[in-house]
């Protein structure tokens, strides 16, 4: 299904990259919210985020102040002129947030993974015009992410964006949530007009990873960033390890290198042209290789031989692996390429010998 989208058009917010949203993981107290917001405004941030309903892994943790915190966001808007955004997970959240003038809604990662919850939110959004940002689902499933976008879009919401916050894995690695950049890149390729934000806070889970992840997102052409900040990060009631002060945020933002997303340089165009030609040749060569494979299959059929001859397969992998290393390619990469070629060749050979 094709999405029908309009630009986010965030009132009073410049569209130059990166569009920044920042604020605490949770709205804890009126004082914490106001203090953080004022410091952020001083650092040039124009969109204030704060979690009001917090999806926590285990019961017994601070689960947000709920509706009680929404007037604090109204106050932030009044005092600083910033737009406000909060996470909604149910239709009741949507209604309460909008009643209190929240400007942008976001759907959290755990919610995106649940089509019933997303549909409930979509139903509450029918007939409204409010920007909605959809975080990736916790599991690396691009179709599930797109499905959530479709549900929101089907409700008539056209100002939609996405937030990439990484994917959860069983083993804990360097990142709290694995970036798997190829997934948002594929999403952008399929829906190019979709604004895409990166959330380095939940991806990294650590303060020292915020800056490098922001830079990586900018290098990949992301439109914006959602970063958790707190006036006293160590004392935060949730996600303390990943929150930074508004001043540190300002420092990180001022050091980001922002490269152009349009390619105007002649040199780059020439190089891209070169790559395109090589890709053409690669497809051509692969097609020829498969053709020969099918001829071999007919020979094998006539002589009653099996399609896969293990020693021959091992010989190809070893020989090309060694050759690749000599040319500066990683052995692993060459192995993967030849395994894939071999798999396709076997598939085509089986098809050939089974043809009547
Ligand atoms: C959040 O942004 O505070 C949050 C809970 O994020 P996520 O849905 O990405 O875990
Ligand atoms: Mn958080």
């Amino acid at each position: 299904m094709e999405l029908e989208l309009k630009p986010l058009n965030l009132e009073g917010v410049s569209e130059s990259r990166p569009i920044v949203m920042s604020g605490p993981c949770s709205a804890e107290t009126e004082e914490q919210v106001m203090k953080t917001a004022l410091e952020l405004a001083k650092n040039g941030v124009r969109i204030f985020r704060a979690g009001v309903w917090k999806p926590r892994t285990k019961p017994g943790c601070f689960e947000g102040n709920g509706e009680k915190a929404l007037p604090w966001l109204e106050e932030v808007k009044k005092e600083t002129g910033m737009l406000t955004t909060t996470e909604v997970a149910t239709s009741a959240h949507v209604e309460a947030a909008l009643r209190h003038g929240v400007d942008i809604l976001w759907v959290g990662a755990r919610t995106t993974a649940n089509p019933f919850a997303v549909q409930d939110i979509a139903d509450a959004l029918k007939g409204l015009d409010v920007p909605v940002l959809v975080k990736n689902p916790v599991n690396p499933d691009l179709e599930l992410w797109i499905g959530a976008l479709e549900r929101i879009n089907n409700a008539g919401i056209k100002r939609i964006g996405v937030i990439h916050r990484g994917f959860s894995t069983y083993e804990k690695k360097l990142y709290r949530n694995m970036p798997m950049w190829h997934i948002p890149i594929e999403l952008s390729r399929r829906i190019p007009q979709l604004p895409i934000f990166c959330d380095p806070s939940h991806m990294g889970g650590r303060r020292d990873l915020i800056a490098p992840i922001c830079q990586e997102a900018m290098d990949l052409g992301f439109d914006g960033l959602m970063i958790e900040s707190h006036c006293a990060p160590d004392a935060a009631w949730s996600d303390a390890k990943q929150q930074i002060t508004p001043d540190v945020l300002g420092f990180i933002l001022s050091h980001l290198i922002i490269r152009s997303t349009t390619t105007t340089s002649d040199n780059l165009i020439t190089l891209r042209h070169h790559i395109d030609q090589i890709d053409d040749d690669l497809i051509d060569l692969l097609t020829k290789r498969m053709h020969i494979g099918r001829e071999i299959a007919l020979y094998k059929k006539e002589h009653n031989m099996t399609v896969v001859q293990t020693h021959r397969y091992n010989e190809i992998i070893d020989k090309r692996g060694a050759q690749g290393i000599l040319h500066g390619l990683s052995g692993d990469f060459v192995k993967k390429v030849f395994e894939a070629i071999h798999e396709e060749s076997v598939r085509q050979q089986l098809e050939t010998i089974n043809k009547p």
Side-chain angles (χ1 to χ4, degrees):
M1 174 198 138
E2 188 122 347
L3 298 188
E4 207 187 318
L5 299 175
K6 280 193 182 148
L8 285 180
N9 208 2
L10 305 173
E11 207 186 318
V13 178
S14 149
E15 280 178 14
S16 66
R17 302 171 52 240
I19 300 170
V20 177
M21 297 178 268
S22 188
C25 178
S26 319
E28 298 162 5
T29 64
E30 187 169 3
E31 294 69 38
Q32 169 250 11
V33 164
M34 250 356 262
K35 191 160 191 284
T36 308
L38 288 169
E39 290 175 16
L40 284 169
K42 210 178 65 199
N43 279 283
V45 175
R46 302 284 312 124
I47 307 169
F48 184 75
R49 67 144 279 160
V52 165
W53 298 280
K54 299 304 302 175
R56 303 309 297 272
T57 302
K58 296 236 170 93
C61 301
F62 172 60
E63 294 187 316
N65 280 302
E67 232 178 300
K68 179 179 130 198
L70 290 171
W72 308 341
L73 298 192
E74 285 181 274
E75 200 54 30
V76 165
K77 206 160 133 167
K78 209 162 88 198
E79 289 291 316
T80 67
M82 278 194 263
L83 299 185
T84 57
T85 179
T86 199
E87 172 174 348
V88 290
T90 67
S91 50
H93 294 169
V94 172
E95 282 149 21
L98 295 179
R99 245 192 342 266
H100 288 274
V102 171
D103 300 283
I104 304 163
L105 305 176
W106 93 75
V107 177
R110 292 159 194 78
T111 307
T112 307
N114 178 351
F116 289 128
V118 176
Q119 192 56 53
D120 181 46
I121 292 170
D123 291 343
L125 289 167
K126 275 207 180 100
L128 302 173
D129 176 24
V130 57
V132 178
L133 305 175
V134 180
K135 286 198 169 194
N136 62 261
V138 277
N139 52 323
D141 184 341
L142 177 58
E143 299 309 321
L144 191 57
W145 198 357
I146 294 177
L149 301 174
E150 289 180 1
R151 286 178 197 277
I152 306 279
N153 197 218
N154 282 342
I157 298 294
K158 300 208 167 68
R159 295 193 286 157
I160 300 178
V162 290
I163 304 173
H164 175 44
R165 48 78 84 193
F167 299 94
S168 139
T169 49
Y170 181 64
E171 289 156 52
K172 289 299 162 213
K173 304 246 170 69
L174 169 65
Y175 295 95
R176 180 175 172 192
N177 291 291
M178 293 306 284
M180 302 188 189
W181 294 106
H182 62 282
I183 295 178
I185 289 171
E186 172 61 11
L187 178 61
S188 280
R189 191 188 66 77
R190 284 177 41 187
I191 315 174
Q193 71 277 37
L194 191 65
I196 180 159
F197 293 77
C198 175
D199 170 348
S201 311
H202 292 90
M203 189 181 284
R206 287 166 37 171
R207 286 173 201 155
D208 59 339
L209 290 177
I210 306 281
I213 296 174
C214 287
Q215 187 59 58
E216 204 159 353
M218 287 302 102
D219 291 345
L220 289 169
F222 276 56
D223 300 283
L225 301 165
M226 177 189 260
I227 305 172
E228 285 188 342
S229 59
H230 192 292
C231 54
D234 287 333
W237 298 1
S238 58
D239 286 350
K241 284 201 190 79
Q242 68 194 35
Q243 301 203 61
I244 53 177
T245 63
D247 283 347
V248 169
L249 176 84
F251 180 80
I252 291 175
L253 294 177
S254 68
H255 283 78
L256 286 179
I257 299 164
I258 309 298
R259 299 178 174 90
S260 162
T261 50
T262 51
T263 54
T264 46
S265 132
D266 283 356
N267 193 24
L268 187 59
I269 289 170
T270 313
L271 290 172
R272 289 238 166 107
H273 198 69
H274 227 99
I275 293 269
D276 284 344
Q277 295 219 311
I278 291 174
D279 287 348
D280 268 346
D281 292 347
L282 280 175
I283 293 285
D284 208 7
L285 282 171
L286 285 171
T287 310
K288 283 186 185 134
R289 194 189 188 283
M290 295 302 155
H291 188 83
I292 296 174
R294 290 199 300 272
E295 279 183 33
I296 290 178
L298 288 175
Y299 179 90
K300 285 177 182 163
K301 187 180 180 179
E302 263 170 39
H303 294 81
N304 214 15
M305 291 163 75
T306 57
V307 160
V308 179
Q309 313 256 304
T310 318
H311 68 278
R312 169 69 180 146
Y313 177 44
N314 287 339
E315 180 192 307
I316 292 176
I317 298 266
D318 291 348
K319 196 162 149 196
R320 298 308 161 194
Q323 188 188 10
I325 291 169
L326 277 179
H327 286 84
L329 302 171
S330 91
D332 227 33
F333 166 71
V334 176
K335 188 161 176 269
K336 265 192 219 144
V337 169
F338 276 88
E339 275 169 0
I341 292 175
H342 185 258
E343 199 181 313
E344 172 65 1
S345 181
V346 167
R347 188 190 68 75
Q348 295 207 11
Q349 292 193 35
L350 285 173
E351 217 173 49
T352 309
I353 61 166
N354 287 318
K355 249 188 216 146

